[in-house]
Amino acid sequence: MIDALTLAVGVTALALAAWCGFAAYRNEPTKDWHFIGMAAVSLLCVVQLVIAIVQLARGQHPDKGTALFLAYLLGAAACVPATGFMSLSERTRWGSATVAAGAVVLAVLEVRLFDIWGGGSA
C-alpha cells in the first residue's frame, strides 16, 4: 500500500472528526460543508481501495492475511458514508457527533490497515 495515502486518509479523517465534533459542541447538525468534507475523505478511501485491489491483483499480499486486509479495507471505505447517511436522519447535534465518531473510527482503521499490510514494507 502507499504509506502517504494511508497517512492522508487518517489525517483528513481526524480533521473531519474535529470539525464535526466542534459542530456537535455548538449544537449544530451536519451542514452542506460537512458533507463536502465527508465526500473528500470518502474519495480518498475509494482511491485507497482501488490501489489496494490493484496491488493485490499484481501479486502483492499483506503480511497478516488477505481476507483480514480486505475486511478492514471495505470497512474503511464504508465508514464515513454510513455515518453521513445516519446523520441525515438525525438532524441535531447528534448527527454531527455520529460523523465525528465515524471519522475517528476511520483513522483507527487506517492505522490497523497499515499494520496488516506490513507496516510500510511493500
Side-chain angles (χ1 to χ4, degrees):
M1 281 218 333
I2 299 173
D3 297 343
L5 181 58
T6 304
L7 180 65
V9 173
V11 168
T12 56
L14 289 175
L16 179 65
W19 188 21
C20 290
F22 186 66
Y25 173 76
R26 293 185 349 189
N27 286 330
E28 295 178 356
T30 49
K31 297 186 175 165
D32 291 344
W33 288 106
H34 295 120
F35 286 101
I36 292 170
M38 287 183 252
V41 172
S42 297
L43 179 65
L44 285 173
C45 287
V46 169
V47 169
Q48 182 183 41
L49 176 71
V50 169
I51 289 173
I53 289 173
V54 167
Q55 286 182 336
L56 288 171
R58 288 185 176 173
Q60 296 177 349
H61 297 287
D63 288 349
K64 297 185 177 144
T66 303
L68 181 66
F69 178 75
L70 286 174
Y72 272 90
L73 191 65
L74 292 173
C79 190
V80 170
T83 57
F85 283 119
M86 288 170 55
S87 77
L88 284 173
S89 66
E90 183 61 48
R91 299 304 292 171
T92 65
R93 70 183 287 178
W94 296 110
S96 295
T98 301
V99 174
V104 170
V105 168
L106 175 59
V108 172
L109 288 173
E110 290 300 313
V111 171
R112 186 70 179 121
L113 278 170
F114 181 78
D115 181 53
I116 293 169
W117 186 262
S121 61

